[in-house]
Amino acid sequence: MAAVLACGAGAVLSHRSAAYLHGILEDSRNRVDVIAPNRRGRSPDGIAAHRDGTLAPADRTVIDGIPCAGLARTLLDIAATESPETLRYAINQAEVERIFDLAEVVELLKRSRGKRGVARLRLAVAHHDPQEQEARLELEKKLLRLFKRGALSRPEVNGHLLVDGISLMPDFLWRDARLIVEADSRRIHGTPTAFEKDRERDQRLAAAGWTVVRVTWRQATQEPERLLQTLRTLLSRPTPR
């Protein structure tokens, strides 16, 4: 927030700093990226001020009270300044966190012709499958119905967690039991990048005392009673502080 305020009216957090705030990339650098369309002169120490006058109202959002570039605009800036591998990782993580909106990205690409990063971002999203997002949401709906039918206590849906300094939003969360259930999609969570990220995430949660249960479509549809019994056992066990 201090970096944004230092860059004057109309400034927003951007590039990798915005990606960190969106929860899709790590950022351990000692500088903060800000788009500062109205700023003139030298940037304050520790701030990388990008003087871009093309920032539209649709490219802005607010996260935790901080003016920030929207996700689609952030992905475009990442495409222009980071490696293709980093861009693919950011898109994949946005899908995992369920904040990726293909229509929003397509609209941004249409009005950004000639801008750096457009070709790379267009290529990166070319193989995105919106039907996969629908399938994942359907699995989550099915699991919610199963929890209700099995008389389980109602979980938080996409409840916020801060673990080891990282912001997480698990699919289903029982805080008192320190239990997390994730709807596992083979195509999204089965990519090499997502596979590694999921395991790292599970390890961090385990170290913090959380149990993570990943549930597939087959388990939810063909083994619902076994799954319910597993969850009942986990929810009823004593949980150490």
Side-chain angles (χ1 to χ4, degrees), residues 82-130:
E82 303 279 352
S83 68
E85 292 76 18
T86 299
L87 174 62
R88 287 195 296 269
Y89 180 90
I91 292 172
N92 186 283
Q93 190 62 20
E95 290 178 327
V96 170
E97 298 296 334
R98 298 185 312 182
I99 58 176
F100 182 79
D101 187 332
L102 180 60
E104 182 181 310
V105 173
V106 170
E107 190 276 333
L108 174 65
L109 290 172
K110 287 180 179 178
R111 57 182 168 84
S112 302
R113 290 185 176 90
K115 191 172 179 63
R116 283 187 63 202
V118 166
R120 185 178 288 178
L121 180 57
R122 183 178 289 115
L123 180 63
V125 301
H127 301 294
H128 176 72
D129 185 358

Side-chain angles (χ1 to χ4, degrees), residues 189-222:
H189 296 271
T191 63
T193 298
F195 184 88
E196 290 292 335
K197 186 66 176 178
D198 285 345
R199 272 64 198 167
E200 177 188 339
R201 187 171 182 259
D202 291 353
Q203 290 162 13
R204 290 179 183 273
L205 286 165
W210 292 85
T211 298
V212 180
V213 176
R214 296 188 171 275
V215 180
T216 65
W217 181 271
R218 185 193 64 79
Q219 292 169 345
T221 57
Q222 298 183 24

Side-chain angles (χ1 to χ4, degrees), residues 13-233:
L13 204 68
S14 68
H15 295 71
R16 194 168 186 117
S17 299
Y20 175 79
L21 200 60
H22 281 287
I24 59 174
L25 285 179
E26 295 295 325
D27 188 11
S28 58
R29 303 167 307 153
N30 59 1
R31 70 173 189 177
V32 180
D33 290 303
V34 176
I35 292 179
N38 300 315
R39 183 171 182 79
R40 298 292 181 269
R42 183 180 175 185
S43 300
D45 290 343
I47 299 176
H50 306 267
R51 295 171 179 84
D52 188 337
T54 66
L55 197 67
D59 298 332
R60 299 171 178 269
T61 189
V62 176
I63 301 177
D64 295 337
I66 301 173
C68 179
L71 180 67
R73 174 55 192 253
T74 297
L75 291 174
L76 180 59
D77 292 334
I78 292 298
T81 57
E82 303 279 352
S83 68
E85 292 76 18
T86 299
L87 174 62
R88 287 195 296 269
Y89 180 90
I91 292 172
N92 186 283
Q93 190 62 20
E95 290 178 327
V96 170
E97 298 296 334
R98 298 185 312 182
I99 58 176
F100 182 79
D101 187 332
L102 180 60
E104 182 181 310
V105 173
V106 170
E107 190 276 333
L108 174 65
L109 290 172
K110 287 180 179 178
R111 57 182 168 84
S112 302
R113 290 185 176 90
K115 191 172 179 63
R116 283 187 63 202
V118 166
R120 185 178 288 178
L121 180 57
R122 183 178 289 115
L123 180 63
V125 301
H127 301 294
H128 176 72
D129 185 358
Q131 292 182 343
E132 173 60 27
Q133 285 189 318
E134 294 176 8
R136 184 170 53 197
L137 290 174
E138 186 58 34
L139 175 56
E140 292 177 8
K141 292 176 184 177
K142 185 174 288 293
L143 286 172
L144 269 178
R145 291 194 295 267
L146 180 62
F147 299 157
K148 184 176 181 179
R149 179 169 65 82
L152 302 185
S153 58
R154 185 172 178 83
E156 294 179 44
V157 180
N158 301 135
H160 179 260
L161 275 181
L162 190 65
V163 176
D164 200 17
I166 297 175
S167 180
L168 303 175
M169 292 179 62
D171 292 337
F172 304 106
L173 169 67
W174 288 267
R175 289 187 189 272
D176 290 344
R178 301 186 75 80
L179 174 64
I180 289 170
V181 170
E182 297 281 15
D184 226 10
S185 163
R186 180 176 296 180
R187 290 181 60 186
I188 292 296
H189 296 271
T191 63
T193 298
F195 184 88
E196 290 292 335
K197 186 66 176 178
D198 285 345
R199 272 64 198 167
E200 177 188 339
R201 187 171 182 259
D202 291 353
Q203 290 162 13
R204 290 179 183 273
L205 286 165
W210 292 85
T211 298
V212 180
V213 176
R214 296 188 171 275
V215 180
T216 65
W217 181 271
R218 185 193 64 79
Q219 292 169 345
T221 57
Q222 298 183 24
E223 302 177 354
E225 294 308 319
R226 181 201 61 77
L227 175 60
L228 282 173
Q229 185 54 48
T230 298
L231 297 179
R232 289 191 188 102
T233 300

